[in-house]
Amino acid sequence: MNKEFIMQGGTPITCELATELRKLVFGTAAIPMRAEWLQTSFVFGAPPKEELAYGLRSPRNATRGMLSVVQGFILKYLLFARKTSRATATTDPLFATAEMQREALFNALVEILRTISDKGKVTMVLPSEDEVFVDHSASYFHDTVTEKLYTFTLSPNEELEHFMKRNFKYFTEEETPGTLLFLYSAVLTRSMGKVRTDLDSTKSSPLTMSNHEEGSLMIVTLLLTGRATPYIHNGVINVGDENSYAVPQYGVLKRCMIGLLLWDIESASAAVNQSRQPGSRLKTPNYPIWITSCTGHFGVIFNRNPDLLRNYHAESRFDVNYYSCSGHQILMTIDNRTYNEQALVMLERQPITPESTSLTGKQAGKDEAVTAGGAAAGVGVAGASGGVGGAASGASAGNDVVAKEESMLNTPLQRLIHTKWEEATISFHVQPSMLSYLFSTTQ
């Protein structure tokens, strides 16, 4: 027996628990799980104090959804929860030091587990180096981790923090199963019975079941909301027809600390898109951080202003960063002013004056970044740039702008943004080729 784990209150896993855990998470215990779960841990992609030092990084695999949620909580800590001293007050939190990286990841993992526990006990797992508690058989195929686990039951406060600090290396050393250990801990903290209920047991789907290479939505909702629900609407909806009893579908029951935005090819039609969209409890979280799923690619969108979602004026025009655990970042400017101004003009049925035309023209040329807007915004820009006297001289420049807009228009990321800010004009501070690469199937 591992004396260190026994001293910490660890209990060797039983054959029954190992088998049921594998079945619930991966669908079966008779065949091996996907190898990335055994080789992916929580690792920062850039050295401390360098650009993107705040970001986790991994190859494109089924752990990306989980990593993106943890990344969101890392950003929450760095931007809004970190206590600064005189020495660190001037440090840009996105150029995190080694100490800031460690503290942010530690606090992110602890906060997620506390959310899932809902003030109850937390159950964590750690692997023994050479002990095996479950025999290899036709019904249980060894995966080199599950059959070696110790389980620990902890209080969600000081005991959990002490345990995590003492065993932090199991989650952060490269090419170790840190993500698998954390996923198992999250499931056991929620309890397997409640996770089955969350998943809607009538469908008998495992937690990791997904058509997307980067992981399932249920893992994301488990870590974000504390419940592994496939339904992301607000509250409870009773679904049934005249031939059957109504069955409740439990969505998101309270406003979340971190939000979720979703867009995929299948939801391109308006009706389907609306039915698959998160409710306001995910779209308007407590902090301006959103986990995103865009054509099967997970990422994080965030803004540094904690009052962004509480202040109408702050939400008129603001910058956001998009980060993917592939190690890439995109800066965007979201501008809701053009639509608001045009809506007001149409409402009052007033002609556009020379002064307003001049102001709109200045706004259209203000950013050097390429601007991709909705149809209404595009009409406004075209109208502003087209004067009677300047039609001929502006034709060449106008054609260049149109060509650039067409190359950026209706990109997956733009459509994702429009699920939250429907009529916004979006300026991407990046080359169009980066957008194509970021949402390719290879990165």
Side-chain angles (χ1 to χ4, degrees):
M1 290 289 184
N2 187 311
K3 292 183 179 180
E4 180 183 358
F5 287 172
I6 294 296
M7 289 178 62
Q8 294 183 63
T11 303
I13 196 168
T14 63
C15 179
E16 180 183 6
L17 178 57
T19 302
E20 291 303 311
L21 189 58
R22 284 266 297 274
K23 287 181 178 179
L24 177 60
V25 175
F26 298 106
T28 180
I31 60 175
M33 67 188 71
R34 293 177 60 163
E36 55 257 32
W37 287 104
L38 305 174
Q39 301 169 356
T40 307
S41 57
F42 299 99
V43 178
F44 288 92
K49 300 183 181 181
E50 293 191 6
E51 187 177 11
L52 304 184
Y54 68 88
L56 298 175
R57 191 175 301 180
S58 78
R60 187 176 189 228
N61 59 43
T63 68
R64 279 273 185 94
M66 167 183 280
L67 290 170
S68 296
V69 178
V70 175
Q71 180 66 69
F73 280 91
I74 287 173
L75 286 163
K76 174 180 174 290
Y77 176 80
L78 289 174
L79 296 176
F80 307 120
R82 182 174 61 95
K83 296 180 180 179
T84 59
S85 62
R86 288 186 177 181
T88 60
T90 59
T91 302
D92 186 333
L94 300 186
F95 287 76
T97 64
E99 182 180 1
M100 291 165 62
Q101 287 178 333
R102 179 181 173 86
E103 288 179 353
L105 177 56
F106 170 83
N107 281 276
L109 299 180
V110 168
E111 182 174 358
I112 290 171
L113 290 173
R114 284 175 175 165
T115 298
I116 297 171
S117 73
D118 194 22
K119 299 181 181 179
K121 294 288 187 179
V122 172
T123 301
M124 299 204 68
V125 296
L126 294 177
S128 174
E129 291 185 5
D130 50 15
E131 295 175 288
V132 177
F133 305 115
V134 182
D135 293 333
H136 184 88
S137 65
S139 60
Y140 184 90
F141 193 102
H142 276 184
D143 60 30
T144 72
V145 175
T146 311
E147 61 273 5
K148 297 181 177 182
L149 293 178
Y150 279 84
T151 62
F152 304 81
T153 302
L154 312 162
S155 68
N157 299 314
E158 290 81 4
E159 190 176 9
L160 173 60
E161 292 185 7
H162 178 73
F163 181 88
M164 283 294 295
K165 288 178 180 178
R166 186 171 183 176
N167 300 288
F168 200 54
K169 64 179 182 180
Y170 289 99
F171 301 93
T172 58
E173 291 183 347
E174 293 193 32
E175 297 186 359
T176 58
T179 52
L180 178 62
L181 298 177
F182 191 70
L183 178 59
Y184 279 167
S185 298
V187 169
L188 293 174
T189 296
R190 174 64 178 159
S191 87
M192 292 195 292
K194 290 182 178 179
V195 170
R196 289 191 187 95
T197 302
D198 295 341
L199 292 174
D200 191 345
S201 57
T202 59
K203 298 182 179 179
S204 301
S205 300
L207 182 61
T208 56
M209 182 179 180
S210 174
N211 295 326
H212 299 310
E213 186 177 344
E214 297 191 5
S216 79
L217 181 65
M218 287 80 80
I219 293 177
V220 171
T221 57
L222 173 62
L223 303 187
L224 274 182
T225 70
R227 300 174 56 254
T229 175
Y231 309 114
I232 52 180
H233 54 72
N234 285 357
V236 183
I237 296 178
N238 292 310
V239 179
D241 54 36
E242 58 186 12
N243 298 319
S244 63
Y245 291 106
V247 177
Q249 291 183 349
Y250 292 88
V252 181
L253 304 181
K254 60 183 180 180
R255 189 180 186 188
C256 298
M257 288 291 178
I258 292 176
L260 175 69
L261 299 179
L262 174 67
W263 188 86
D264 55 43
I265 298 297
E266 290 78 9
S267 63
S269 69
V272 175
N273 182 50
Q274 187 63 33
S275 68
R276 294 189 180 189
Q277 280 302 302
S280 61
R281 291 168 180 168
L282 283 171
K283 278 191 175 180
T284 309
N286 289 330
Y287 293 92
I289 302 171
W290 294 264
I291 310 306
T292 65
S293 177
C294 186
T295 63
H297 294 260
F298 282 102
V300 185
I301 285 177
F302 63 95
N303 174 272
R304 294 177 180 236
N305 182 3
D307 296 322
L308 176 69
L309 301 178
R310 307 185 189 104
N311 188 321
Y312 173 80
H313 297 289
E315 209 170 351
S316 293
R317 187 176 188 275
F318 56 96
D319 291 336
V320 294
N321 290 67
Y322 174 85
Y323 179 77
S324 164
C325 289
S326 62
H328 294 89
Q329 175 180 263
I330 293 176
L331 176 62
M332 297 170 282
T333 300
I334 298 177
D335 193 339
N336 293 296
R337 295 176 303 176
T338 303
Y339 170 74
N340 293 338
E341 291 171 0
Q342 290 177 349
L344 181 61
V345 169
M346 293 177 63
L347 182 64
E348 296 177 352
R349 296 188 177 182
Q350 293 180 350
I352 300 177
T353 64
E355 289 80 11
S356 64
T357 302
S358 175
L359 289 174
T360 310
K362 290 180 181 179
Q363 179 60 40
K366 184 176 180 180
D367 294 315
E368 295 181 359
V370 179
T371 302
V379 171
V381 173
S385 61
V388 174
S393 62
S396 177
N399 290 337
D400 291 341
V401 171
V402 170
K404 289 182 179 180
E405 286 186 358
E406 287 179 351
S407 68
M408 304 285 278
L409 192 61
N410 290 329
T411 63
L413 188 55
Q414 183 191 359
R415 293 190 178 193
L416 174 78
I417 297 294
H418 281 158
T419 65
K420 168 64 178 172
W421 298 279
E422 295 182 8
E423 302 293 341
T425 300
I426 306 169
S427 301
F428 294 95
H429 303 263
V430 69
Q431 293 297 322
S433 58
M434 174 56 73
L435 290 175
S436 300
Y437 169 75
L438 198 58
F439 296 98
S440 69
T441 59
T442 57
Q443 62 84 29

